[in-house]
PDB file of all heavy atoms in Angstrom:
ATOM      1  N   PRO A   1       0.843  -1.188  -0.006  1.00 52.00           N
ATOM      2  CA  PRO A   1       0.002  -0.035  -0.008  1.00 52.00           C
ATOM      3  C   PRO A   1       0.897   1.272  -0.015  1.00 52.00           C
ATOM      4  O   PRO A   1       1.997   1.209   0.435  1.00 52.00           O
ATOM      5  CB  PRO A   1      -0.820  -0.112   1.294  1.00 52.00           C
ATOM      6  CG  PRO A   1      -0.105  -1.138   2.095  1.00 52.00           C
ATOM      7  CD  PRO A   1       0.664  -2.034   1.190  1.00 52.00           C
ATOM      8  N   PHE A   2       0.292   2.342  -0.427  1.00 51.00           N
ATOM      9  CA  PHE A   2       1.083   3.570  -0.594  1.00 51.00           C
ATOM     10  C   PHE A   2       1.622   4.098   0.736  1.00 51.00           C
ATOM     11  O   PHE A   2       2.709   4.599   0.846  1.00 51.00           O
ATOM     12  CB  PHE A   2       0.259   4.696  -1.323  1.00 51.00           C
ATOM     13  CG  PHE A   2      -0.064   4.320  -2.710  1.00 51.00           C
ATOM     14  CD1 PHE A   2      -1.384   4.037  -3.102  1.00 51.00           C
ATOM     15  CD2 PHE A   2       0.915   4.216  -3.682  1.00 51.00           C
ATOM     16  CE1 PHE A   2      -1.625   3.748  -4.379  1.00 51.00           C
ATOM     17  CE2 PHE A   2       0.655   3.900  -4.963  1.00 51.00           C
ATOM     18  CZ  PHE A   2      -0.671   3.668  -5.313  1.00 51.00           C
ATOM     19  N   ASP A   3       0.845   4.035   1.776  1.00 53.00           N
ATOM     20  CA  ASP A   3       1.259   4.628   3.118  1.00 53.00           C
ATOM     21  C   ASP A   3       1.934   3.540   3.992  1.00 53.00           C
ATOM     22  O   ASP A   3       2.269   3.825   5.157  1.00 53.00           O
ATOM     23  CB  ASP A   3       0.057   5.280   3.789  1.00 53.00           C
ATOM     24  CG  ASP A   3      -1.070   4.329   4.068  1.00 53.00           C
ATOM     25  OD1 ASP A   3      -0.983   3.105   3.694  1.00 53.00           O
ATOM     26  OD2 ASP A   3      -2.044   4.754   4.654  1.00 53.00           O
ATOM     27  N   ASP A   4       2.074   2.336   3.567  1.00 52.00           N
ATOM     28  CA  ASP A   4       2.691   1.222   4.342  1.00 52.00           C
ATOM     29  C   ASP A   4       2.018   1.011   5.707  1.00 52.00           C
ATOM     30  O   ASP A   4       2.621   0.657   6.678  1.00 52.00           O
ATOM     31  CB  ASP A   4       4.165   1.490   4.508  1.00 52.00           C
ATOM     32  CG  ASP A   4       4.929   1.369   3.204  1.00 52.00           C
ATOM     33  OD1 ASP A   4       4.479   0.604   2.355  1.00 52.00           O
ATOM     34  OD2 ASP A   4       5.957   2.106   3.057  1.00 52.00           O
ATOM     35  N   SER A   5       0.686   1.325   5.802  1.00 54.00           N
ATOM     36  CA  SER A   5       0.032   1.179   6.986  1.00 54.00           C
ATOM     37  C   SER A   5      -0.791  -0.114   7.030  1.00 54.00           C
ATOM     38  O   SER A   5      -1.616  -0.303   6.120  1.00 54.00           O
ATOM     39  CB  SER A   5      -0.923   2.437   7.172  1.00 54.00           C
ATOM     40  OG  SER A   5      -1.825   2.153   8.207  1.00 54.00           O
ATOM     41  N   ILE A   6      -0.610  -0.889   7.968  1.00 52.00           N
ATOM     42  CA  ILE A   6      -1.360  -2.155   8.056  1.00 52.00           C
ATOM     43  C   ILE A   6      -2.684  -1.884   8.757  1.00 52.00           C
ATOM     44  O   ILE A   6      -3.653  -2.617   8.607  1.00 52.00           O
ATOM     45  CB  ILE A   6      -0.553  -3.208   8.882  1.00 52.00           C
ATOM     46  CG1 ILE A   6       0.771  -3.523   8.164  1.00 52.00           C
ATOM     47  CG2 ILE A   6      -1.337  -4.500   9.013  1.00 52.00           C
ATOM     48  CD1 ILE A   6       0.656  -4.079   6.826  1.00 52.00           C
ATOM     49  N   ALA A   7      -2.813  -0.785   9.509  1.00 50.00           N
ATOM     50  CA  ALA A   7      -4.053  -0.455  10.246  1.00 50.00           C
ATOM     51  C   ALA A   7      -5.195  -0.188   9.309  1.00 50.00           C
ATOM     52  O   ALA A   7      -6.372  -0.541   9.627  1.00 50.00           O
ATOM     53  CB  ALA A   7      -3.863   0.718  11.113  1.00 50.00           C
ATOM     54  N   ASP A   8      -4.959   0.320   8.134  1.00 54.00           N
ATOM     55  CA  ASP A   8      -5.989   0.655   7.191  1.00 54.00           C
ATOM     56  C   ASP A   8      -6.166  -0.453   6.150  1.00 54.00           C
ATOM     57  O   ASP A   8      -6.726  -0.225   5.114  1.00 54.00           O
ATOM     58  CB  ASP A   8      -5.699   1.956   6.440  1.00 54.00           C
ATOM     59  CG  ASP A   8      -5.784   3.145   7.411  1.00 54.00           C
ATOM     60  OD1 ASP A   8      -6.527   3.063   8.377  1.00 54.00           O
ATOM     61  OD2 ASP A   8      -5.075   4.157   7.162  1.00 54.00           O
ATOM     62  N   LEU A   9      -5.583  -1.602   6.439  1.00 53.00           N
ATOM     63  CA  LEU A   9      -5.635  -2.736   5.460  1.00 53.00           C
ATOM     64  C   LEU A   9      -7.062  -3.143   5.078  1.00 53.00           C
ATOM     65  O   LEU A   9      -7.345  -3.474   3.958  1.00 53.00           O
ATOM     66  CB  LEU A   9      -4.843  -3.934   6.015  1.00 53.00           C
ATOM     67  CG  LEU A   9      -4.635  -5.092   5.065  1.00 53.00           C
ATOM     68  CD1 LEU A   9      -3.853  -4.681   3.856  1.00 53.00           C
ATOM     69  CD2 LEU A   9      -4.021  -6.203   5.802  1.00 53.00           C
ATOM     70  N   GLY A  10      -7.945  -3.150   6.101  1.00 56.00           N
ATOM     71  CA  GLY A  10      -9.274  -3.558   5.825  1.00 56.00           C
ATOM     72  C   GLY A  10     -10.012  -2.677   4.837  1.00 56.00           C
ATOM     73  O   GLY A  10     -10.831  -3.181   4.050  1.00 56.00           O
ATOM     74  N   LYS A  11      -9.683  -1.390   4.770  1.00 54.00           N
ATOM     75  CA  LYS A  11     -10.332  -0.474   3.842  1.00 54.00           C
ATOM     76  C   LYS A  11      -9.705  -0.627   2.494  1.00 54.00           C
ATOM     77  O   LYS A  11     -10.360  -0.378   1.450  1.00 54.00           O
ATOM     78  CB  LYS A  11     -10.220   0.936   4.341  1.00 54.00           C
ATOM     79  CG  LYS A  11     -10.909   1.190   5.670  1.00 54.00           C
ATOM     80  CD  LYS A  11     -10.608   2.609   6.117  1.00 54.00           C
ATOM     81  CE  LYS A  11     -11.089   2.814   7.528  1.00 54.00           C
ATOM     82  NZ  LYS A  11     -10.651   4.130   8.084  1.00 54.00           N
ATOM     83  N   GLU A  12      -8.476  -0.955   2.424  1.00 55.00           N
ATOM     84  CA  GLU A  12      -7.744  -0.939   1.124  1.00 55.00           C
ATOM     85  C   GLU A  12      -7.538  -2.269   0.472  1.00 55.00           C
ATOM     86  O   GLU A  12      -6.939  -2.360  -0.651  1.00 55.00           O
ATOM     87  CB  GLU A  12      -6.328  -0.310   1.376  1.00 55.00           C
ATOM     88  CG  GLU A  12      -6.413   1.160   1.839  1.00 55.00           C
ATOM     89  CD  GLU A  12      -5.014   1.717   2.099  1.00 55.00           C
ATOM     90  OE1 GLU A  12      -4.031   0.957   1.794  1.00 55.00           O
ATOM     91  OE2 GLU A  12      -4.956   2.817   2.577  1.00 55.00           O
ATOM     92  N   TRP A  13      -7.977  -3.323   1.089  1.00 55.00           N
ATOM     93  CA  TRP A  13      -7.688  -4.644   0.497  1.00 55.00           C
ATOM     94  C   TRP A  13      -8.372  -4.884  -0.844  1.00 55.00           C
ATOM     95  O   TRP A  13      -7.834  -5.552  -1.712  1.00 55.00           O
ATOM     96  CB  TRP A  13      -8.052  -5.771   1.507  1.00 55.00           C
ATOM     97  CG  TRP A  13      -9.530  -6.073   1.630  1.00 55.00           C
ATOM     98  CD1 TRP A  13     -10.395  -5.462   2.431  1.00 55.00           C
ATOM     99  CD2 TRP A  13     -10.224  -7.055   0.878  1.00 55.00           C
ATOM    100  NE1 TRP A  13     -11.648  -5.975   2.265  1.00 55.00           N
ATOM    101  CE2 TRP A  13     -11.619  -6.946   1.353  1.00 55.00           C
ATOM    102  CE3 TRP A  13      -9.964  -7.981  -0.068  1.00 55.00           C
ATOM    103  CZ2 TRP A  13     -12.605  -7.767   0.855  1.00 55.00           C
ATOM    104  CZ3 TRP A  13     -10.942  -8.787  -0.530  1.00 55.00           C
ATOM    105  CH2 TRP A  13     -12.246  -8.657  -0.109  1.00 55.00           C
ATOM    106  N   LYS A  14      -9.548  -4.268  -1.024  1.00 54.00           N
ATOM    107  CA  LYS A  14     -10.225  -4.454  -2.358  1.00 54.00           C
ATOM    108  C   LYS A  14      -9.438  -3.787  -3.453  1.00 54.00           C
ATOM    109  O   LYS A  14      -9.286  -4.289  -4.565  1.00 54.00           O
ATOM    110  CB  LYS A  14     -11.636  -3.880  -2.321  1.00 54.00           C
ATOM    111  CG  LYS A  14     -12.572  -4.768  -1.567  1.00 54.00           C
ATOM    112  CD  LYS A  14     -13.974  -4.261  -1.668  1.00 54.00           C
ATOM    113  CE  LYS A  14     -14.884  -5.168  -0.834  1.00 54.00           C
ATOM    114  NZ  LYS A  14     -16.249  -4.670  -0.913  1.00 54.00           N
ATOM    115  N   SER A  15      -8.920  -2.492  -3.186  1.00 59.00           N
ATOM    116  CA  SER A  15      -8.111  -1.890  -4.191  1.00 59.00           C
ATOM    117  C   SER A  15      -6.745  -2.599  -4.395  1.00 59.00           C
ATOM    118  O   SER A  15      -6.160  -2.598  -5.466  1.00 59.00           O
ATOM    119  CB  SER A  15      -7.883  -0.408  -3.845  1.00 59.00           C
ATOM    120  OG  SER A  15      -7.150  -0.318  -2.661  1.00 59.00           O
ATOM    121  N   ALA A  16      -6.279  -3.202  -3.333  1.00 54.00           N
ATOM    122  CA  ALA A  16      -4.922  -3.857  -3.433  1.00 54.00           C
ATOM    123  C   ALA A  16      -5.080  -5.154  -4.246  1.00 54.00           C
ATOM    124  O   ALA A  16      -4.176  -5.606  -4.879  1.00 54.00           O
ATOM    125  CB  ALA A  16      -4.416  -4.220  -2.065  1.00 54.00           C
ATOM    126  N   LEU A  17      -6.278  -5.785  -4.194  1.00 54.00           N
ATOM    127  CA  LEU A  17      -6.442  -7.019  -4.939  1.00 54.00           C
ATOM    128  C   LEU A  17      -6.334  -6.827  -6.444  1.00 54.00           C
ATOM    129  O   LEU A  17      -5.927  -7.665  -7.191  1.00 54.00           O
ATOM    130  CB  LEU A  17      -7.845  -7.646  -4.625  1.00 54.00           C
ATOM    131  CG  LEU A  17      -7.886  -8.402  -3.277  1.00 54.00           C
ATOM    132  CD1 LEU A  17      -9.352  -8.908  -3.074  1.00 54.00           C
ATOM    133  CD2 LEU A  17      -6.915  -9.543  -3.193  1.00 54.00           C
ATOM    134  N   ALA A  18      -6.680  -5.598  -6.910  1.00 54.00           N
ATOM    135  CA  ALA A  18      -6.563  -5.264  -8.305  1.00 54.00           C
ATOM    136  C   ALA A  18      -5.100  -5.182  -8.764  1.00 54.00           C
ATOM    137  O   ALA A  18      -4.813  -5.319  -9.931  1.00 54.00           O
ATOM    138  CB  ALA A  18      -7.324  -3.983  -8.638  1.00 54.00           C
ATOM    139  N   LYS A  19      -4.213  -5.043  -7.812  1.00 59.00           N
ATOM    140  CA  LYS A  19      -2.798  -4.884  -8.148  1.00 59.00           C
ATOM    141  C   LYS A  19      -2.044  -6.257  -8.044  1.00 59.00           C
ATOM    142  O   LYS A  19      -0.788  -6.223  -8.221  1.00 59.00           O
ATOM    143  CB  LYS A  19      -2.119  -3.880  -7.158  1.00 59.00           C
ATOM    144  CG  LYS A  19      -2.782  -2.491  -7.263  1.00 59.00           C
ATOM    145  CD  LYS A  19      -2.232  -1.615  -6.179  1.00 59.00           C
ATOM    146  CE  LYS A  19      -2.970  -0.320  -6.093  1.00 59.00           C
ATOM    147  NZ  LYS A  19      -2.613   0.521  -5.029  1.00 59.00           N
ATOM    148  N   LEU A  20      -2.717  -7.286  -7.743  1.00 58.00           N
ATOM    149  CA  LEU A  20      -2.061  -8.618  -7.657  1.00 58.00           C
ATOM    150  C   LEU A  20      -1.584  -9.065  -9.029  1.00 58.00           C
ATOM    151  O   LEU A  20      -2.179  -8.922 -10.007  1.00 58.00           O
ATOM    152  CB  LEU A  20      -3.013  -9.679  -7.127  1.00 58.00           C
ATOM    153  CG  LEU A  20      -3.370  -9.687  -5.673  1.00 58.00           C
ATOM    154  CD1 LEU A  20      -4.371 -10.678  -5.350  1.00 58.00           C
ATOM    155  CD2 LEU A  20      -2.133  -9.797  -4.774  1.00 58.00           C
ATOM    156  N   LYS A  21      -0.407  -9.664  -9.026  1.00 61.00           N
ATOM    157  CA  LYS A  21       0.164 -10.204 -10.271  1.00 61.00           C
ATOM    158  C   LYS A  21       0.158 -11.720 -10.037  1.00 61.00           C
ATOM    159  O   LYS A  21       0.777 -12.229  -9.102  1.00 61.00           O
ATOM    160  CB  LYS A  21       1.596  -9.838 -10.519  1.00 61.00           C
ATOM    161  CG  LYS A  21       1.801  -8.270 -10.498  1.00 61.00           C
ATOM    162  CD  LYS A  21       1.144  -7.660 -11.752  1.00 61.00           C
ATOM    163  CE  LYS A  21       1.510  -6.160 -11.671  1.00 61.00           C
ATOM    164  NZ  LYS A  21       0.763  -5.434 -12.637  1.00 61.00           N
ATOM    165  N   PHE A  22      -0.553 -12.506 -10.885  1.00 59.00           N
ATOM    166  CA  PHE A  22      -0.652 -13.944 -10.738  1.00 59.00           C
ATOM    167  C   PHE A  22       0.353 -14.658 -11.649  1.00 59.00           C
ATOM    168  O   PHE A  22       0.643 -14.212 -12.724  1.00 59.00           O
ATOM    169  CB  PHE A  22      -2.051 -14.463 -11.062  1.00 59.00           C
ATOM    170  CG  PHE A  22      -3.106 -14.060 -10.050  1.00 59.00           C
ATOM    171  CD1 PHE A  22      -3.997 -13.079 -10.408  1.00 59.00           C
ATOM    172  CD2 PHE A  22      -3.137 -14.618  -8.796  1.00 59.00           C
ATOM    173  CE1 PHE A  22      -4.976 -12.695  -9.485  1.00 59.00           C
ATOM    174  CE2 PHE A  22      -4.032 -14.224  -7.924  1.00 59.00           C
ATOM    175  CZ  PHE A  22      -5.002 -13.262  -8.248  1.00 59.00           C
ATOM    176  N   ALA A  23       0.888 -15.693 -11.193  1.00 65.00           N
ATOM    177  CA  ALA A  23       1.825 -16.499 -11.971  1.00 65.00           C
ATOM    178  C   ALA A  23       1.059 -17.225 -13.037  1.00 65.00           C
ATOM    179  O   ALA A  23      -0.083 -17.654 -12.798  1.00 65.00           O
ATOM    180  CB  ALA A  23       2.595 -17.545 -11.104  1.00 65.00           C
ATOM    181  N   ASN A  24       1.617 -17.344 -14.230  1.00 65.00           N
ATOM    182  CA  ASN A  24       0.976 -18.024 -15.309  1.00 65.00           C
ATOM    183  C   ASN A  24       0.973 -19.487 -15.108  1.00 65.00           C
ATOM    184  O   ASN A  24       2.002 -20.063 -14.703  1.00 65.00           O
ATOM    185  CB  ASN A  24       1.630 -17.682 -16.629  1.00 65.00           C
ATOM    186  CG  ASN A  24       0.779 -18.051 -17.832  1.00 65.00           C
ATOM    187  OD1 ASN A  24      -0.108 -18.809 -17.780  1.00 65.00           O
ATOM    188  ND2 ASN A  24       1.155 -17.553 -18.986  1.00 65.00           N
ATOM    189  N   SER A  25      -0.135 -20.210 -15.266  1.00 66.00           N
ATOM    190  CA  SER A  25      -0.237 -21.617 -15.016  1.00 66.00           C
ATOM    191  C   SER A  25       0.337 -22.436 -16.204  1.00 66.00           C
ATOM    192  O   SER A  25       0.689 -23.547 -16.053  1.00 66.00           O
ATOM    193  CB  SER A  25      -1.663 -22.046 -14.744  1.00 66.00           C
ATOM    194  OG  SER A  25      -2.427 -21.880 -15.884  1.00 66.00           O
ATOM    195  N   TYR A  26       0.345 -21.816 -17.342  1.00 70.00           N
ATOM    196  CA  TYR A  26       0.880 -22.486 -18.623  1.00 70.00           C
ATOM    197  C   TYR A  26       0.091 -23.785 -18.886  1.00 70.00           C
ATOM    198  O   TYR A  26       0.546 -24.704 -19.515  1.00 70.00           O
ATOM    199  CB  TYR A  26       2.366 -22.803 -18.521  1.00 70.00           C
ATOM    200  CG  TYR A  26       3.187 -21.514 -18.414  1.00 70.00           C
ATOM    201  CD1 TYR A  26       3.780 -21.179 -17.192  1.00 70.00           C
ATOM    202  CD2 TYR A  26       3.360 -20.716 -19.520  1.00 70.00           C
ATOM    203  CE1 TYR A  26       4.490 -20.019 -17.121  1.00 70.00           C
ATOM    204  CE2 TYR A  26       4.130 -19.561 -19.388  1.00 70.00           C
ATOM    205  CZ  TYR A  26       4.656 -19.267 -18.188  1.00 70.00           C
ATOM    206  OH  TYR A  26       5.367 -18.082 -18.080  1.00 70.00           O
ATOM    207  N   ARG A  27      -1.140 -23.872 -18.401  1.00 73.00           N
ATOM    208  CA  ARG A  27      -1.954 -25.036 -18.665  1.00 73.00           C
ATOM    209  C   ARG A  27      -2.636 -24.855 -20.007  1.00 73.00           C
ATOM    210  O   ARG A  27      -3.365 -23.923 -20.262  1.00 73.00           O
ATOM    211  CB  ARG A  27      -3.015 -25.169 -17.569  1.00 73.00           C
ATOM    212  CG  ARG A  27      -3.963 -26.382 -17.788  1.00 73.00           C
ATOM    213  CD  ARG A  27      -4.824 -26.649 -16.566  1.00 73.00           C
ATOM    214  NE  ARG A  27      -4.046 -27.087 -15.476  1.00 73.00           N
ATOM    215  CZ  ARG A  27      -3.597 -28.359 -15.308  1.00 73.00           C
ATOM    216  NH1 ARG A  27      -3.813 -29.229 -16.201  1.00 73.00           N
ATOM    217  NH2 ARG A  27      -2.917 -28.667 -14.206  1.00 73.00           N
ATOM    218  N   MET A  28      -2.401 -25.860 -20.918  1.00 80.00           N
ATOM    219  CA  MET A  28      -2.954 -25.814 -22.249  1.00 80.00           C
ATOM    220  C   MET A  28      -4.137 -26.738 -22.386  1.00 80.00           C
ATOM    221  O   MET A  28      -4.825 -26.733 -23.454  1.00 80.00           O
ATOM    222  CB  MET A  28      -1.848 -26.189 -23.273  1.00 80.00           C
ATOM    223  CG  MET A  28      -0.707 -25.243 -23.245  1.00 80.00           C
ATOM    224  SD  MET A  28      -1.149 -23.536 -23.598  1.00 80.00           S
ATOM    225  CE  MET A  28      -1.528 -23.629 -25.268  1.00 80.00           C
ATOM    226  N   GLU A  29      -4.452 -27.549 -21.401  1.00 83.00           N
ATOM    227  CA  GLU A  29      -5.561 -28.471 -21.500  1.00 83.00           C
ATOM    228  C   GLU A  29      -6.399 -28.370 -20.222  1.00 83.00           C
ATOM    229  O   GLU A  29      -5.886 -27.951 -19.150  1.00 83.00           O
ATOM    230  CB  GLU A  29      -5.159 -29.886 -21.712  1.00 83.00           C
ATOM    231  CG  GLU A  29      -4.450 -30.561 -20.524  1.00 83.00           C
ATOM    232  CD  GLU A  29      -2.970 -30.261 -20.466  1.00 83.00           C
ATOM    233  OE1 GLU A  29      -2.381 -29.751 -21.444  1.00 83.00           O
ATOM    234  OE2 GLU A  29      -2.373 -30.485 -19.414  1.00 83.00           O
ATOM    235  N   PRO A  30      -7.665 -28.687 -20.259  1.00 84.00           N
ATOM    236  CA  PRO A  30      -8.536 -28.554 -19.047  1.00 84.00           C
ATOM    237  C   PRO A  30      -8.188 -29.592 -17.997  1.00 84.00           C
ATOM    238  O   PRO A  30      -7.749 -30.666 -18.334  1.00 84.00           O
ATOM    239  CB  PRO A  30      -9.937 -28.708 -19.603  1.00 84.00           C
ATOM    240  CG  PRO A  30      -9.793 -29.481 -20.854  1.00 84.00           C
ATOM    241  CD  PRO A  30      -8.441 -29.140 -21.396  1.00 84.00           C
ATOM    242  N   LEU A  31      -8.472 -29.261 -16.758  1.00 83.00           N
ATOM    243  CA  LEU A  31      -8.324 -30.229 -15.692  1.00 83.00           C
ATOM    244  C   LEU A  31      -9.379 -31.394 -15.876  1.00 83.00           C
ATOM    245  O   LEU A  31      -9.054 -32.572 -15.619  1.00 83.00           O
ATOM    246  CB  LEU A  31      -8.540 -29.578 -14.315  1.00 83.00           C
ATOM    247  CG  LEU A  31      -7.509 -28.582 -13.922  1.00 83.00           C
ATOM    248  CD1 LEU A  31      -7.971 -27.850 -12.637  1.00 83.00           C
ATOM    249  CD2 LEU A  31      -6.166 -29.216 -13.680  1.00 83.00           C
ATOM    250  N   LYS A  32     -10.524 -30.980 -16.315  1.00 87.00           N
ATOM    251  CA  LYS A  32     -11.612 -31.958 -16.544  1.00 87.00           C
ATOM    252  C   LYS A  32     -12.261 -31.675 -17.891  1.00 87.00           C
ATOM    253  O   LYS A  32     -12.780 -30.560 -18.070  1.00 87.00           O
ATOM    254  CB  LYS A  32     -12.645 -31.774 -15.435  1.00 87.00           C
ATOM    255  CG  LYS A  32     -13.841 -32.723 -15.440  1.00 87.00           C
ATOM    256  CD  LYS A  32     -14.700 -32.419 -14.192  1.00 87.00           C
ATOM    257  CE  LYS A  32     -16.078 -33.003 -14.300  1.00 87.00           C
ATOM    258  NZ  LYS A  32     -16.899 -32.673 -13.199  1.00 87.00           N
ATOM    259  N   LYS A  33     -12.227 -32.610 -18.818  1.00 89.00           N
ATOM    260  CA  LYS A  33     -12.687 -32.354 -20.138  1.00 89.00           C
ATOM    261  C   LYS A  33     -14.276 -32.395 -20.080  1.00 89.00           C
ATOM    262  O   LYS A  33     -14.917 -33.075 -19.329  1.00 89.00           O
ATOM    263  CB  LYS A  33     -12.239 -33.468 -21.072  1.00 89.00           C
ATOM    264  CG  LYS A  33     -12.578 -33.199 -22.533  1.00 89.00           C
ATOM    265  CD  LYS A  33     -11.938 -34.211 -23.497  1.00 89.00           C
ATOM    266  CE  LYS A  33     -12.399 -33.793 -24.869  1.00 89.00           C
ATOM    267  NZ  LYS A  33     -11.921 -34.805 -25.860  1.00 89.00           N
ATOM    268  N   PHE A  34     -14.879 -31.597 -20.982  1.00 91.00           N
ATOM    269  CA  PHE A  34     -16.323 -31.460 -21.049  1.00 91.00           C
ATOM    270  C   PHE A  34     -16.939 -32.784 -21.401  1.00 91.00           C
ATOM    271  O   PHE A  34     -16.593 -33.390 -22.402  1.00 91.00           O
ATOM    272  CB  PHE A  34     -16.639 -30.406 -22.071  1.00 91.00           C
ATOM    273  CG  PHE A  34     -18.080 -30.098 -22.234  1.00 91.00           C
ATOM    274  CD1 PHE A  34     -18.718 -29.305 -21.312  1.00 91.00           C
ATOM    275  CD2 PHE A  34     -18.813 -30.594 -23.295  1.00 91.00           C
ATOM    276  CE1 PHE A  34     -20.077 -28.990 -21.426  1.00 91.00           C
ATOM    277  CE2 PHE A  34     -20.209 -30.263 -23.354  1.00 91.00           C
ATOM    278  CZ  PHE A  34     -20.811 -29.501 -22.493  1.00 91.00           C
TER     279      PHE A  34
END
């Protein structure tokens, strides 16, 4: 977070979730076929 404050984490967690970077799974086939 911009202010490095953990106290305001509850208010900012929704906006912080938009900044998450997920690792690519590189999965080319489904886990369960249709």
Side-chain angles (χ1 to χ4, degrees):
F2 293 114
D3 59 357
D4 294 328
S5 166
I6 301 298
D8 294 331
L9 184 63
K11 298 175 188 172
E12 297 178 5
W13 75 275
K14 286 186 181 177
S15 63
L17 284 177
K19 300 174 188 174
L20 287 177
K21 308 287 184 192
F22 292 106
N24 194 343
S25 68
Y26 299 104
R27 179 171 294 280
M28 300 301 288
E29 69 276 347
L31 294 171
K32 180 178 167 185
K33 190 173 178 184
F34 185 76

